[in-house]
Amino acid sequence: MARMIQLAFLATLLVSVAFSFVSASNEILNESSKMKVVNVIVEGMVYCQSCNKLGSWSLTGAQPISGAKLSVICESYKNRVSYHKTFQTDTQGYFYAELVGYKMTHMLLDHPLQSCIVKLVSSPSESCNVLTNVNYGINGATLHYENKRLAYENKYEALIYAAGPLAFRPAQCT
């Protein structure tokens, strides 16, 4: 009978220890789900390359293109597209691409610096709409980090990466 009471006590003790462990695990998970999300932003410029610089990567004398479209494409470490979205330049040729919904499944291998590129898509300018590979605008411009962050109180934080500058060129030069 004493043996039976000891086993019952031991079983109760094990159940209470297991319950405490599950409760502690849930607290840790709840705390980690409250962690601040850091957003990713890509910025850059799109230009129309000057006719006298065709065939080079020089953007001397280039003019910004308003309304040019470009794509940000990210691949997972398994070489599958994990993010793709098209963005447009403002009136000064500047693009600001907030990668809403971009997620890293592997912290190092899916990092934006390794997994994301920017490609030119189209130019609204009829006089300057031929793609160039300046800074790899056709093949895919890699991102670089310029030590820029956006932060708003403790509610929002974003890391800003840059790509380019990228360029189109005129179809015909006179």
Side-chain angles (χ1 to χ4, degrees):
M1 181 74 165
R3 184 95 167 136
M4 192 95 150
I5 292 172
Q6 285 178 337
L7 287 175
F9 175 74
L10 186 57
T12 305
L13 183 64
L14 287 174
V15 168
S16 67
V17 168
F19 182 72
S20 298
F21 179 73
V22 169
S23 296
S25 297
N26 284 338
E27 275 187 45
I28 292 168
L29 288 175
N30 288 337
E31 287 301 312
S32 67
S33 66
K34 293 177 188 174
M35 289 175 58
K36 178 174 43 176
V37 174
V38 178
N39 297 295
V40 176
I41 295 170
V42 179
E43 68 177 357
M45 294 290 296
V46 178
Y47 293 96
C48 177
Q49 189 178 38
S50 174
C51 279
N52 61 356
K53 300 298 180 184
L54 293 182
S56 73
W57 277 24
S58 174
L59 293 174
T60 304
Q63 298 297 313
I65 299 178
S66 171
K69 291 184 181 177
L70 50 110
S71 286
V72 177
I73 304 159
C74 303
E75 290 185 347
S76 71
Y77 68 96
K78 295 180 180 178
N79 293 328
R80 295 185 181 127
V81 173
S82 61
Y83 185 88
H84 180 268
K85 189 167 181 186
T86 301
F87 297 92
Q88 196 166 349
T89 60
D90 67 8
T91 56
Q92 304 299 312
Y94 172 77
F95 66 88
Y96 180 90
E98 186 171 2
L99 308 188
V100 176
Y102 174 73
K103 292 186 179 14
M104 291 186 284
T105 56
H106 190 282
M107 196 61 166
L108 295 175
L109 300 176
D110 284 346
H111 194 278
L113 289 174
Q114 285 81 26
S115 66
C116 299
I117 57 172
V118 177
K119 288 186 175 187
L120 291 171
V121 175
S122 65
S123 168
S125 172
E126 289 185 25
S127 63
C128 190
N129 58 9
V130 178
L131 298 167
T132 73
N133 208 29
V134 171
N135 291 313
Y136 301 105
I138 295 173
N139 297 340
T142 57
L143 307 184
H144 51 276
Y145 182 62
E146 296 186 329
N147 203 21
K148 290 168 85 176
R149 289 178 178 258
L150 264 180
Y152 177 70
E153 296 175 354
N154 282 331
K155 299 177 183 175
Y156 180 84
E157 185 176 355
L159 295 176
I160 302 175
Y161 298 91
L166 308 174
F168 289 89
R169 70 171 179 81
Q172 296 180 345
C173 290
T174 55

